[in-house]
Amino acid sequence: MSDTLPGGRPAAVETPAPADPRLDRLSLNQWTTRGWTLEQAVDGCVRHGIRSIGLWREKVAEHGPAAAARLVADAGLRVSSLCRGGFLTGDDGNLDDNRAAVDEAAALGAACLVLVVGGLPGVVPGGSPGGGLSRDLALARERVARALDVLAPYAGERGVRLALEPLHPMYCADRAVLSTLAQALDLADRHPVEQVGVVVDTFHVWWDPDVLAQIARAGDRIASYQVSDFLVPLPADVLLARGMMGDGVIDFGPLTAAVRAAGYRGDVEVEIFNADVWAADPDEVVATMKRRFVTEVPPM
């Protein structure tokens, strides 16, 4: 077996990674092995010795939150995050769906509920502008703030922590009007730290010249640390530009050191959106993920 996934860097020989205590904090985000059902993902974590899983609402919905929670708990796994809530920039702030997401996160005992806040009103993710388009970026961001004012106390009452995820600026129009960690922290700081935190995702923040200072600023606001690499050239669908650690251009050393110095002690999720990775054998993906986590991501 080679240490090469489709679209990844070549290697002549693949050898098992040595036992390493860093794997204790490794979490498999379900979207990395998107083809697996929830049962298969849980079983895969157990077989590969991974103790934590990041869940997606679509997969949880196939069982219902209570049954999904039992499945994960019976396997002895932690839930590092639930993805995703958000899309707060419409007229109604998507509040009903986000309250439901908070309730699901509570049932699952998730460490946080990731919020992808949404793009400009009237722009469908991955699509073209449609009816109701607003180019008022400042207004879209204000709608995010107003929705958080409603959702943060609701989450707090249920013991759920919201985690604002800034996305790379190329997604600003259709997925997230928060593009920097500083913007996410400015909103999070308006709420108690146990109610609203932030996600540090290497794919989305590596380019930011201020990112290390903002990670230090974040401190205990860091609710999730996610790692994947930034591939070049970008694919036609830029949503699928994430790669396995070591296959792209990100230097994980300074980012990981900054997150560690900020005091983060939670799980580290590998979240990869990549058509070639999804087409590969999920067991090979997980085995490669474990090796690359040890070789490419410095100790936390």
Side-chain angles (χ1 to χ4, degrees):
M1 190 186 300
S2 71
D3 190 24
T4 304
L5 295 171
R9 70 183 183 192
V13 178
E14 177 185 278
T15 56
D20 192 295
R22 284 177 290 177
L23 295 176
D24 291 344
R25 295 175 65 184
L26 173 62
S27 177
L28 172 67
N29 184 286
Q30 273 192 288
W31 234 236
T32 300
T33 53
R34 186 178 178 183
W36 268 349
T37 64
L38 178 58
E39 295 100 326
Q40 289 170 326
V42 167
D43 176 69
C45 285
V46 171
R47 287 187 291 103
H48 287 274
I50 295 173
R51 296 183 170 92
S52 182
I53 187 168
L55 299 177
W56 275 68
R57 295 179 67 198
E58 292 90 330
K59 302 288 188 178
V60 170
E62 296 171 2
H63 298 265
R70 287 194 298 272
L71 178 66
V72 173
D74 288 348
L77 301 180
R78 302 182 297 271
V79 180
S80 55
S81 73
L82 177 64
C83 196
R84 63 195 177 200
F87 295 93
L88 309 172
T89 55
D91 291 338
D92 63 355
N94 200 25
L95 293 176
D96 288 344
D97 184 65
N98 278 288
R99 290 187 185 98
V102 168
D103 293 342
E104 292 162 18
L108 293 163
C112 64
L113 171 65
V114 175
L115 298 184
V116 175
V117 299
L120 292 172
V123 181
V124 176
S128 302
L133 170 65
S134 169
R135 294 181 173 87
D136 191 337
L137 183 55
L139 174 62
R141 289 172 174 153
E142 178 56 30
R143 287 181 174 182
V144 174
R146 292 201 300 259
L148 276 178
D149 288 343
V150 176
L151 292 172
Y154 184 88
E157 291 169 359
R158 288 151 183 81
V160 171
R161 194 179 196 193
L162 306 177
L164 297 170
E165 182 170 17
L167 302 194
H168 191 281
M170 63 185 171
Y171 304 119
C172 184
D174 67 339
R175 287 185 169 86
V177 295
L178 297 183
S179 301
T180 67
L181 192 54
Q183 289 174 317
L185 286 168
D186 287 347
L187 287 181
D189 284 346
R190 296 168 45 166
H191 303 279
V193 68
E194 67 273 12
Q195 292 182 9
V196 183
V198 296
V199 181
V200 177
D201 184 320
T202 59
F203 176 85
H204 292 302
V205 304
W206 72 274
W207 60 274
D208 184 353
D210 198 36
V211 67
L212 298 182
Q214 293 302 321
I215 290 173
R217 170 192 168 191
D220 57 5
R221 290 276 178 188
I222 300 175
S224 177
Y225 183 42
Q226 297 181 336
V227 295
S228 65
D229 220 331
F230 191 99
L231 300 180
V232 289
L234 291 171
D237 184 350
V238 294
L239 184 66
L240 307 183
R242 296 172 182 246
M244 192 65 71
M245 298 79 70
D247 284 345
V249 299
I250 295 177
D251 183 354
F252 293 96
L255 293 168
T256 303
V259 171
R260 180 178 64 244
Y264 181 72
R265 297 295 180 265
D267 293 313
V268 183
E269 285 188 18
V270 176
E271 181 187 55
I272 298 175
F273 291 40
N274 182 296
D276 291 331
V277 170
W278 291 340
D281 181 335
D283 279 302
E284 292 188 10
V285 171
V286 175
T288 301
M289 178 185 78
K290 290 171 60 179
R291 284 187 296 275
R292 297 288 186 86
F293 188 77
V294 170
T295 61
E296 304 296 332
V297 181
M300 288 290 292

